[in-house]
Amino acid sequence: MRARPRLPSWLVPFLCLMAAVALPFWVPTYYTQFASKALIMGMLAMALNLAVGQGGLVSLCHAAFFGVAGYVLALTSPKYDAASLLLTLPLAVLASGLAALAIGALALRTRGVYFIMVTLAFGEMLYFFFHDTGIGGGSDGAFINLKPEIAIAGRQLLDLDKPMAFYFVVLAFTVGVIALLLMLVRSPFGHALAAARDNERRARSLGFPIFRIRLIAFTISGALAGLAGYFAAAQFGFVAPEMLGWHQSATVLAMVLIGGLQSVTGPLLGALVLLGLEEVLKANLAQWKLAEGLIVIAIVLALPNGVRQLWPLLFGQPRQKPSSGKVAPETGRG
Amino acid sequence: MDLITFGVQLLNAIQYGMVLFLVASGLTLVFGILGVINLAHGAFYMLGAYLAYWIAAATGNFLIAVVAGVAIAFVVGLLLENVFIRRLYGRDHLAQVLLSFGLILVIDEVREMLFGKDVHAVTPPAWLSGSIQLTTNLSYPVYRLAICVFCLAVAGLIFLVITRTKIGMIVRAGAENREMTRVLGINYDSVNRYVFATGIALAALGGIVIAPISTVFPGMGDSMLILSFVVVVLGGIGSVAGAAIGALLIGLTDTFGKVFFPSVSGILIYLLMALVLLWRPNGILGRREI
């Protein structure tokens, strides 16, 4: 295999960002909207990966946090007026964070497979909460007639109704989420979280408050999922209980796996790959779910570390192996 | 609430709990022995109900549907274990979650190709379709009683096999300590395969017996999956007795919750789960340290 010269570490992220900024000027509006959706799902997947990849906590209720924020936007939006972004966004993120705090405080008393089952059950509880009670239109869902805006003294500064403006706002928030997650992962907090994932007993005997560290990570992860949910609700102008369903959670987990758990931005790539795949399959195949299911199974069996495993095959091996020192989360204790 | 209404609700609760037990015991066995968390378990419950509808409609005999449905599910379980599940042993939970999620998508689509996505009703066999008159305006369907008896018999059989036979001994040893059992020379490949197929068959059996009193519809597996998870969390993973306790608790909570607190009945079982988690995070019969 031919060796690939090492690129400066900032080059690839910089080029990706430039491409992302240039994108809406080059492609039709439909693809700008698709890119917004991919960024939103990428935010959700990256948020989830803080719990799954960094914390070793396989959560099946992140769609619930995602949906709660969407519902907060729907419930706080005036019927004939645009909601204020500066007011509703913090409120939505706060609500998701609180939901994550409450569910995390209970679920984190358990480990491994229990944790998966408990998060799944509590996520479904929130689903049924919006499905069965009349809040937010019950099983029919609720419309958000006008996208939120930033306005000062009645003058509109930012109108999210324009696809391009919406895209740039989402892009800015995505970059912010990446920066926040990178900071977290590289901080002593992030190292403690990873230590608890790799060897809980040792981390505990070293004196780390495991429960508190995990709860903080889970809450931040849920709040960031809420951030993504806010923009998803704003983009589609509609919320329904299905937004909180566990199929959504599992799909996002698939994005995390496809992108790879080892890096902060991997899940963003995973979201892009899976959404792109869905788009192609839906356009060409009546039984697209069958194909998607088989592809997910194939990826689990053949590429346990995500599509990045394919890169050395495509571009050759890098000269030096990156020494990140991270190992796949060990959650095997049942 | 007078005594007879209470009795009727109690019977309903037990009957619901028993069906839950059938499905959840399959789930807890598969996890206890194989160490694999199977999200597709609910999909087999749904598949069982559709098989019951399809075979009963084709043959006109519900009993054939019970036997054939369970047999088909068992064979499908053997095949799936051989093709997919086998590759999950020792993999992390994320891989197990996602592979079984992929299976759900596949099974859903296959079901749609075979049976469509219509809602169906199944008629119970004629000799079980009557009702027992309790008072002048209150009666209880015989079929529900039959479910109670049948599920009790199956539960008894499961307990007998697990506590009294060599296979049961291997299964218990595996749940206790997988590696040690393997070291002692038990051929785990075939044990795994049959346990998985039995788990799937139990899920399908739950779907088959419930088909005549519920409707058969595409999403029925999802709610059952969540409920069986709650049962397993309540009872303790790998413990069949725990699954029985958990299932009856949920049957009682759900049935009497609907009677006494109809507005919040959907949330009650999750509150129950939260309480048990605060009290015993590893389940009522779960081992304390994990």
Side-chain angles (χ1 to χ4, degrees):
Chain A
M1 226 178 272
R2 99 196 126 84
R4 173 160 57 97
R6 266 184 83 72
L7 303 166
S9 60
W10 51 268
L11 190 65
V12 173
F14 179 75
L15 288 178
C16 287
L17 183 64
M18 285 299 104
V21 170
L23 182 87
F25 300 103
W26 284 54
V27 297
T29 312
Y30 176 78
Y31 289 101
T32 305
Q33 283 166 338
F34 176 77
S36 302
K37 187 179 158 195
L39 286 177
I40 290 169
M41 295 314 284
M43 262 197 268
L44 174 59
M46 287 190 292
L48 175 61
N49 194 34
L50 178 65
V52 178
Q54 199 66 18
L57 307 165
V58 180
S59 157
L60 266 178
C61 64
H62 267 58
F65 308 140
F66 181 74
V68 162
Y71 266 96
V72 169
L73 174 62
L75 293 173
T76 52
S77 290
K79 200 162 186 190
Y80 302 110
D81 221 348
S84 158
L85 183 106
L86 295 178
L87 200 70
T88 51
L89 180 64
L91 203 64
V93 172
L94 184 73
S96 297
L98 284 178
L101 182 69
I103 292 178
L106 284 166
L108 285 169
R109 294 172 63 84
T110 63
R111 298 278 174 281
V113 70
Y114 266 102
F115 183 80
I116 299 174
M117 294 184 180
V118 172
T119 50
L120 176 65
F122 280 128
E124 283 304 283
M125 182 180 88
L126 287 176
Y127 168 85
F128 281 115
F129 176 74
F130 286 108
H131 190 273
D132 291 353
T133 62
I135 298 170
S139 57
D140 294 335
F143 285 97
I144 300 160
N145 294 322
L146 289 161
K147 289 191 168 52
E149 57 168 19
I150 297 178
I152 290 177
R155 264 193 66 209
Q156 197 179 46
L157 298 177
L158 185 69
D159 179 13
L160 293 186
D161 237 358
K162 295 193 184 72
M164 207 186 271
F166 186 83
Y167 172 78
F168 280 115
V169 169
V170 171
L171 181 62
F173 271 99
T174 308
V175 172
V177 167
I178 293 174
L180 176 72
L181 288 173
L182 280 175
M183 206 183 74
L184 272 177
V185 166
R186 290 171 185 176
S187 69
F189 171 79
H191 291 302
L193 186 62
R197 170 199 69 197
D198 293 337
N199 191 333
E200 183 178 341
R201 203 164 288 176
R202 186 188 292 176
R204 193 184 298 279
S205 44
L206 284 172
F208 290 113
I210 306 283
F211 180 81
R212 206 185 315 156
I213 289 172
R214 283 184 170 155
L215 187 56
I216 292 170
F218 193 76
T219 307
I220 295 174
S221 169
L224 291 178
L227 180 68
Y230 179 88
F231 284 112
Q235 182 174 27
F236 300 118
F238 177 67
V239 286
E242 278 64 38
M243 203 176 163
L244 293 87
W246 73 270
H247 277 238
Q248 173 94 309
S249 295
T251 309
V252 181
L253 265 183
M255 291 173 183
V256 170
L257 183 89
I258 290 171
L261 298 98
Q262 276 87 343
S263 72
V264 164
T265 48
L268 182 62
L269 176 73
L272 199 63
V273 170
L274 194 66
L275 286 176
L277 194 73
E278 265 184 16
E279 197 76 3
V280 174
L281 289 177
K282 271 182 195 168
N284 295 306
L285 211 61
Q287 279 88 23
W288 65 275
K289 275 200 167 171
L290 181 72
E292 190 183 344
L294 289 174
I295 289 172
V296 167
I297 292 174
I299 288 176
V300 171
L301 293 178
L303 302 172
N305 294 320
V307 286
R308 286 183 178 206
Q309 264 182 299
L310 293 173
W311 287 16
L313 298 177
L314 294 174
F315 304 111
Q317 295 281 1
R319 248 176 230 159
Q320 279 173 303
K321 280 215 161 145
S323 55
S324 64
K326 282 177 197 153
V327 284
E330 209 268 298
T331 47
R333 265 164 272 128
Chain B
M1 183 190 278
D2 60 275
L3 206 61
I4 291 183
T5 321
F6 178 82
V8 166
Q9 294 297 350
L10 190 66
L11 275 176
N12 277 342
I14 292 172
Q15 173 259 312
Y16 181 49
M18 292 310 295
V19 175
L20 254 178
F21 166 74
L22 278 194
V23 181
S25 65
L27 190 72
T28 203
L29 269 179
V30 167
F31 184 79
I33 310 303
L34 282 70
V36 167
I37 170 168
N38 180 18
L39 294 186
H41 201 72
F44 291 103
Y45 169 81
M46 180 271 295
L47 215 53
Y50 269 92
L51 279 174
Y53 152 73
W54 185 63
I55 300 172
T59 62
N61 189 334
F62 184 71
L63 288 182
I64 295 180
V66 175
V67 176
V70 170
I72 291 174
F74 191 82
V75 172
V76 171
L78 287 179
L79 278 175
L80 281 179
E81 199 277 344
N82 209 10
V83 180
F84 297 119
I85 309 295
R86 199 158 56 87
R87 297 169 210 279
L88 286 176
Y89 303 148
R91 289 281 301 274
D92 55 43
H93 290 146
L94 181 62
Q96 302 174 353
V97 164
L98 285 176
L99 191 140
S100 49
F101 177 64
L103 274 183
I104 293 182
L105 296 179
V106 172
I107 292 170
D108 260 348
E109 207 68 45
V110 168
R111 188 256 314 140
E112 197 160 331
M113 286 192 270
L114 290 179
F115 309 116
K117 54 181 172 186
D118 296 336
V119 175
H120 297 289
V122 178
T123 41
W127 53 281
L128 287 177
S129 58
S131 329
I132 299 169
Q133 208 67 30
L134 296 172
T135 59
T136 43
N137 50 11
L138 204 63
S139 61
Y140 199 77
V142 176
Y143 185 76
R144 281 178 185 265
L145 281 178
I147 287 187
C148 285
V149 174
F150 178 74
C151 291
L152 268 175
V154 174
L157 191 68
I158 294 174
F159 277 111
L160 270 182
V161 168
I162 287 182
T163 53
R164 293 277 178 271
T165 63
K166 177 127 192 268
I167 300 166
M169 204 156 75
I170 294 171
V171 165
R172 273 181 293 144
E176 198 69 34
N177 191 332
R178 248 194 309 281
E179 281 73 28
M180 185 56 85
T181 319
R182 200 167 289 152
V183 169
L184 288 173
I186 304 295
N187 176 7
Y188 243 79
D189 288 349
S190 59
V191 173
N192 279 341
R193 193 158 304 150
Y194 288 117
V195 167
F196 184 77
T198 308
I200 296 303
L202 282 170
L205 182 59
I208 293 168
V209 298
I210 206 81
I213 49 173
S214 128
T215 46
V216 179
F217 62 100
M220 64 190 293
D222 263 359
S223 48
M224 199 46 158
L225 173 75
I226 313 293
L227 283 174
S228 348
F229 273 15
V230 177
V231 167
V232 172
V233 170
L234 287 181
I237 291 175
S239 162
V240 176
I245 295 175
L248 283 175
L249 269 177
I250 288 188
L252 290 169
T253 312
D254 194 70
T255 309
F256 284 100
K258 277 185 182 131
V259 176
F260 292 117
F261 316 100
S263 55
V264 292
S265 64
I267 313 257
L268 276 179
I269 52 166
Y270 302 103
L271 287 179
L272 177 71
M273 182 177 82
L275 283 178
V276 169
L277 281 176
L278 288 172
W279 171 47
R280 288 187 71 115
N282 296 326
I284 295 171
L285 292 188
R287 270 171 290 168
R288 266 183 190 265
E289 39 81 46
I290 279 195

